[in-house]
mmCIF file of all heavy atoms in Angstrom:
data_model
loop_
_atom_site.group_PDB
_atom_site.id
_atom_site.type_symbol
_atom_site.label_atom_id
_atom_site.label_comp_id
_atom_site.label_asym_id
_atom_site.label_seq_id
_atom_site.Cartn_x
_atom_site.Cartn_y
_atom_site.Cartn_z
ATOM 1 N N LEU A 150 8.566 7.184 1.545
ATOM 2 C CA LEU A 150 8.081 8.537 1.403
ATOM 3 C C LEU A 150 8.682 9.278 0.188
ATOM 4 O O LEU A 150 8.062 9.923 -0.499
ATOM 5 C CB LEU A 150 8.316 9.365 2.725
ATOM 6 C CG LEU A 150 7.333 8.841 3.809
ATOM 7 C CD1 LEU A 150 7.720 9.659 5.118
ATOM 8 C CD2 LEU A 150 5.942 9.152 3.439
ATOM 9 N N LEU A 151 10.023 9.125 0.008
ATOM 10 C CA LEU A 151 10.735 9.749 -1.212
ATOM 11 C C LEU A 151 10.214 9.235 -2.427
ATOM 12 O O LEU A 151 9.962 9.935 -3.373
ATOM 13 C CB LEU A 151 12.184 9.528 -1.020
ATOM 14 C CG LEU A 151 12.878 10.351 0.055
ATOM 15 C CD1 LEU A 151 14.431 9.891 0.224
ATOM 16 C CD2 LEU A 151 12.685 11.849 -0.102
ATOM 17 N N ASN A 152 9.905 7.945 -2.533
ATOM 18 C CA ASN A 152 9.412 7.276 -3.706
ATOM 19 C C ASN A 152 7.968 7.849 -4.024
ATOM 20 O O ASN A 152 7.590 8.109 -5.087
ATOM 21 C CB ASN A 152 9.239 5.811 -3.463
ATOM 22 C CG ASN A 152 8.594 5.016 -4.605
ATOM 23 O OD1 ASN A 152 7.411 4.768 -4.413
ATOM 24 N ND2 ASN A 152 9.236 4.717 -5.625
ATOM 25 N N GLU A 153 7.103 8.007 -2.917
ATOM 26 C CA GLU A 153 5.781 8.506 -3.099
ATOM 27 C C GLU A 153 5.887 9.994 -3.532
ATOM 28 O O GLU A 153 4.983 10.402 -4.163
ATOM 29 C CB GLU A 153 4.901 8.269 -1.773
ATOM 30 C CG GLU A 153 4.663 6.864 -1.604
ATOM 31 C CD GLU A 153 3.902 6.496 -0.382
ATOM 32 O OE1 GLU A 153 3.556 7.473 0.479
ATOM 33 O OE2 GLU A 153 3.597 5.347 -0.064
ATOM 34 N N LEU A 154 6.792 10.694 -3.005
ATOM 35 C CA LEU A 154 7.010 12.066 -3.356
ATOM 36 C C LEU A 154 7.111 12.260 -4.876
ATOM 37 O O LEU A 154 6.558 13.040 -5.575
ATOM 38 C CB LEU A 154 8.155 12.772 -2.584
ATOM 39 C CG LEU A 154 8.438 14.248 -2.901
ATOM 40 C CD1 LEU A 154 7.255 14.997 -2.494
ATOM 41 C CD2 LEU A 154 9.652 14.589 -2.138
ATOM 42 N N LYS A 155 7.981 11.254 -5.397
ATOM 43 C CA LYS A 155 8.398 11.380 -6.776
ATOM 44 C C LYS A 155 7.228 10.863 -7.683
ATOM 45 O O LYS A 155 6.981 11.533 -8.714
ATOM 46 C CB LYS A 155 9.532 10.402 -7.055
ATOM 47 C CG LYS A 155 9.980 10.257 -8.452
ATOM 48 C CD LYS A 155 11.222 9.249 -8.568
ATOM 49 C CE LYS A 155 11.663 9.077 -9.921
ATOM 50 N NZ LYS A 155 12.726 8.104 -10.070
ATOM 51 N N TYR A 156 6.579 9.833 -7.282
ATOM 52 C CA TYR A 156 5.639 9.271 -8.224
ATOM 53 C C TYR A 156 4.145 9.594 -7.905
ATOM 54 O O TYR A 156 3.289 9.431 -8.799
ATOM 55 C CB TYR A 156 5.651 7.703 -8.170
ATOM 56 C CG TYR A 156 6.822 7.205 -8.828
ATOM 57 C CD1 TYR A 156 7.925 6.624 -8.118
ATOM 58 C CD2 TYR A 156 7.039 7.279 -10.187
ATOM 59 C CE1 TYR A 156 9.043 6.165 -8.701
ATOM 60 C CE2 TYR A 156 8.159 6.869 -10.808
ATOM 61 C CZ TYR A 156 9.216 6.269 -10.168
ATOM 62 O OH TYR A 156 10.341 5.781 -10.763
ATOM 63 N N VAL A 157 3.867 10.275 -6.803
ATOM 64 C CA VAL A 157 2.418 10.583 -6.456
ATOM 65 C C VAL A 157 2.292 12.035 -6.176
ATOM 66 O O VAL A 157 1.533 12.761 -6.789
ATOM 67 C CB VAL A 157 1.961 9.749 -5.383
ATOM 68 C CG1 VAL A 157 0.402 10.063 -5.061
ATOM 69 C CG2 VAL A 157 1.973 8.126 -5.565
ATOM 70 N N ILE A 158 3.041 12.551 -5.114
ATOM 71 C CA ILE A 158 2.761 13.783 -4.660
ATOM 72 C C ILE A 158 3.317 14.965 -5.633
ATOM 73 O O ILE A 158 2.540 15.931 -5.915
ATOM 74 C CB ILE A 158 3.441 14.075 -3.377
ATOM 75 C CG1 ILE A 158 2.808 13.057 -2.294
ATOM 76 C CG2 ILE A 158 3.359 15.525 -2.774
ATOM 77 C CD1 ILE A 158 3.509 12.976 -0.982
ATOM 78 N N ALA A 159 4.473 14.783 -6.150
ATOM 79 C CA ALA A 159 5.027 15.779 -7.074
ATOM 80 C C ALA A 159 4.123 15.930 -8.364
ATOM 81 O O ALA A 159 3.715 17.079 -8.779
ATOM 82 C CB ALA A 159 6.476 15.430 -7.577
ATOM 83 N N PRO A 160 3.671 14.801 -9.033
ATOM 84 C CA PRO A 160 2.724 14.920 -10.171
ATOM 85 C C PRO A 160 1.358 15.525 -9.733
ATOM 86 O O PRO A 160 0.820 16.250 -10.519
ATOM 87 C CB PRO A 160 2.559 13.520 -10.621
ATOM 88 C CG PRO A 160 3.758 12.707 -10.195
ATOM 89 C CD PRO A 160 4.153 13.424 -8.888
ATOM 90 N N LEU A 161 0.946 15.235 -8.515
ATOM 91 C CA LEU A 161 -0.290 15.813 -8.047
ATOM 92 C C LEU A 161 -0.223 17.375 -7.908
ATOM 93 O O LEU A 161 -1.159 18.071 -8.345
ATOM 94 C CB LEU A 161 -0.706 15.263 -6.609
ATOM 95 C CG LEU A 161 -2.028 15.665 -6.068
ATOM 96 C CD1 LEU A 161 -3.079 15.245 -6.879
ATOM 97 C CD2 LEU A 161 -2.105 15.121 -4.616
ATOM 98 N N ILE A 162 0.959 17.799 -7.440
ATOM 99 C CA ILE A 162 1.116 19.283 -7.314
ATOM 100 C C ILE A 162 1.125 19.920 -8.695
ATOM 101 O O ILE A 162 0.548 20.961 -8.937
ATOM 102 C CB ILE A 162 2.448 19.568 -6.532
ATOM 103 C CG1 ILE A 162 2.342 19.095 -5.100
ATOM 104 C CG2 ILE A 162 2.809 21.006 -6.658
ATOM 105 C CD1 ILE A 162 3.642 19.129 -4.367
#
Side-chain angles (χ1 to χ4, degrees):
L150 287 173
L151 290 173
N152 173 268
E153 291 178 0
L154 179 64
K155 178 180 178 181
Y156 289 110
V157 182
I158 298 170
L161 182 64
I162 293 170

